[in-house]
Amino acid sequence: MSATTYPNYSPGLEGVIGGITTISEIISETSTLVYRGYNVHDLASQGSFEETAYLLINGKLPTAAELSAFKHVLAEEREVPEAVYLALKQLPKTAHPMDIAKVGYAVYAPFDPDYSAPATDHEANLRKAIRIVAKGSTIVGNGHRIRMGHEPLKPNPAHTIAQNFLYLVNGTEPDAKTAHVLDSSLSLYAEHGFNASTFACRVTVATLSDMYSGIVSGIGTLKGPLHGGANEEAMHMLMQIGEPGNAEAWIHDALATKKKIMGFGHREYKKRDPRAIYLTKVAKELCIEKGQTKWSEIADVLEGVMESEKNIFPNVDFPAAYAYYVLGIPIDLYTPIFVVARVSGWSAHALEQLKNNRLIRPSAIYEGPHSVEYTPASAR
Ligand SMILES: CC(C)(COP(=O)(O)OP(=O)(O)OC[C@H]1O[C@@H](n2cnc3c(N)ncnc32)[C@H](O)[C@@H]1OP(=O)(O)O)[C@@H](O)C(=O)NCCC(=O)NCCS
């Protein structure tokens, strides 16, 4: 079957407009990403993830008083019921942290005080969105502790979401630089238009199922290596290269054998991924500060060769990979960090979808047989 046979069919829905949104805009020609009109570079470099989440969910930046009240509610809502931890303790130790995130949200859902409110109750959905954002770092952070055989820790209400994640994962207070790097990456990962997981979330809530089912759909979709998994793959690649002196030969060999270089290229950005521009700066500063410059040196070689040979640039997952590594975060938590951030974008999309809902139900072209005569099983 070829797409040219069917003029209205686009494989993978590439180029098909799936909806109207006021949440974010990707401007490929100028390598720009805006959330609600604000350049993501400004939000990541000058704001906080909490501010970004507020903007995505409420459609406007908070005043200082609104931000302070929002942070207070997020801190109050950060803990999850014991039932969530009991469920996570039943999972095999081999469970992927993305499955831990999925189970965590699914088990928490019926405990949400607004769980049985009608799907289109906007005020209830706003409260759900705040709880969804508040609980992400606790589910992923304490979920990691549980799989490592440790007891969950009580979140500290004075922490930001980034600090809470680092505190639960490492069991120690994060330093300010570490928390800032993670915080800015959360803002950069928070939202990105009608990507696969966001679309899955919108399809789910458009049936008037509940918002948590939308979040669980999003996590399941993000788990796939064609979507969320590239930051982990990029770090495995950097570790395989090992030393800056190996990088030049490695990348030329990889390109000669038509390997895809993880953390490079993007369907939407044909020039630079704007999220990678700020995160590369932060990640390279971090390598210097933590005395681990071999990763930024390898990165420099790969970036140079990819630009000169292929005119392809790093995407957000490339600097995220070595930044998280230098921060000491286990590699299989890189995609769950994406969840901690993206629940804010998914929640904003669920709210937008439900405010003006129409069931999402595309058609398919049937290419199977017709008019086949039925015979009973005993006669086949
Ligand atoms: C993201 C991605 C899927 C976008 O793909 P796309 O827009 O469909 O582009 P294509 O895969 O069709 O690639 C177009 C050309 O660029 C090349 N290319 C794209 N990304 C490349 C990469 N990361 N490494 C090497 N070559 C790459 C392709 O080989 C192809 O070259 P060709 O025309 O000579 O065959 C692709 O860049 C990729 O697989 N990147 C690595 C995974 C990754 O980092 N994903 C995270 C995205 S945020």
Side-chain angles (χ1 to χ4, degrees):
M1 183 177 68
S2 89
T4 50
T5 322
Y6 306 109
N8 294 327
Y9 167 56
S10 171
L13 301 185
E14 187 175 353
V16 172
I17 294 167
I20 293 173
T21 185
T22 61
I23 301 171
S24 67
E25 184 183 18
I26 295 168
I27 310 162
S28 179
E29 308 76 56
T30 54
S31 291
T32 309
L33 171 64
V34 296
Y35 298 165
R36 307 279 192 190
Y38 294 93
N39 193 311
V40 75
H41 180 273
D42 296 335
L43 296 169
S45 60
Q46 296 173 54
S48 63
F49 174 61
E50 282 76 3
E51 202 178 27
T52 298
Y54 185 102
L55 171 70
L56 291 171
I57 291 168
N58 295 292
K60 69 180 226 6
L61 277 179
T63 62
E66 285 166 340
L67 181 60
S68 161
F70 186 63
K71 285 182 178 169
H72 184 73
V73 182
L74 287 174
E76 274 186 337
E77 293 287 358
R78 191 163 290 155
E79 189 50 288
V80 295
E82 190 57 27
V84 173
Y85 296 140
L86 287 174
L88 295 183
K89 285 177 183 171
Q90 307 306 310
L91 294 177
K93 293 282 173 277
T94 51
H96 191 283
M98 287 297 277
D99 294 323
I100 292 175
K102 201 166 53 181
V103 171
Y105 273 107
V107 174
Y108 172 68
F111 289 91
D112 186 309
D114 290 299
Y115 184 63
S116 45
T120 52
D121 180 338
H122 185 68
E123 293 306 315
N125 287 341
L126 276 174
R127 292 191 293 273
K128 285 182 208 168
I130 292 170
R131 293 186 192 110
I132 286 166
V133 171
K135 293 182 196 308
S137 58
T138 304
I139 290 172
V140 175
N142 271 335
H144 172 68
R145 295 189 70 76
I146 289 169
R147 79 179 170 129
M148 301 312 283
H150 304 309
E151 277 303 307
L153 285 174
K154 204 171 163 36
N156 176 349
H159 282 162
T160 63
I161 286 173
Q163 287 171 324
N164 184 53
F165 175 86
L166 292 162
Y167 171 63
L168 299 184
V169 169
N170 299 323
T172 53
E173 283 295 321
D175 63 72
K177 175 77 181 182
T178 301
H180 170 71
V181 174
L182 184 65
D183 183 84
S184 55
S185 76
L186 294 179
S187 283
L188 295 168
Y189 269 133
E191 160 60 11
H192 212 217
F194 270 47
N195 57 83
S197 57
T198 299
F199 192 61
C201 174
R202 288 188 79 126
V203 169
T204 301
V205 300
T207 67
L208 299 186
S209 177
D210 66 292
M211 267 177 80
Y212 285 90
S213 295
I215 297 299
V216 171
S217 293
I219 297 172
T221 310
L222 186 68
K223 182 183 172 189
L226 292 186
H227 189 2
N231 51 13
E232 297 181 14
E233 294 299 323
M235 194 61 224
H236 290 302
M237 175 187 76
L238 290 171
M239 290 173 80
Q240 194 197 339
I241 296 169
E243 294 298 330
N246 302 335
E248 183 101 27
W250 188 95
I251 182 79
H252 283 297
D253 181 61
L255 291 179
T257 53
K258 298 257 173 233
K259 271 203 189 102
K260 275 273 167 82
I261 313 303
M262 288 295 129
F264 281 82
H266 200 280
R267 173 72 57 82
E268 295 283 331
Y269 301 110
K270 292 309 168 204
K271 294 179 193 156
R272 291 180 190 272
D273 175 344
R275 302 167 301 170
I277 296 170
Y278 181 66
L279 205 54
T280 298
K281 176 179 170 294
V282 169
K284 289 186 177 169
E285 284 169 8
L286 185 73
C287 288
I288 294 168
E289 202 176 304
K290 303 277 182 187
Q292 297 193 41
T293 49
K294 79 170 185 174
W295 304 117
S296 51
E297 287 169 33
I298 297 174
D300 284 340
V301 176
L302 300 194
E303 286 167 24
V305 174
M306 285 298 281
E307 182 174 353
S308 59
E309 301 275 312
K310 303 278 292 180
N311 202 28
I312 294 177
F313 300 93
N315 59 54
V316 66
D317 290 323
F318 189 60
Y322 59 94
Y324 292 162
Y325 189 82
V326 172
L327 294 183
I329 298 171
I331 295 174
D332 62 2
L333 290 185
Y334 295 3
T335 315
I337 291 175
F338 202 150
V339 172
V340 172
R342 191 55 67 85
V343 287
S344 59
W346 291 333
S347 298
H349 279 274
L351 287 160
E352 185 176 71
Q353 179 67 35
L354 289 167
K355 256 190 144 175
N356 187 18
N357 192 48
R358 182 130 202 257
L359 181 74
I360 299 170
R361 206 301 188 190
S363 304
I365 295 159
Y366 177 70
E367 286 198 332
H370 291 100
S371 308
V372 184
E373 196 174 327
Y374 176 83
T375 50
S378 57
R380 271 171 240 154

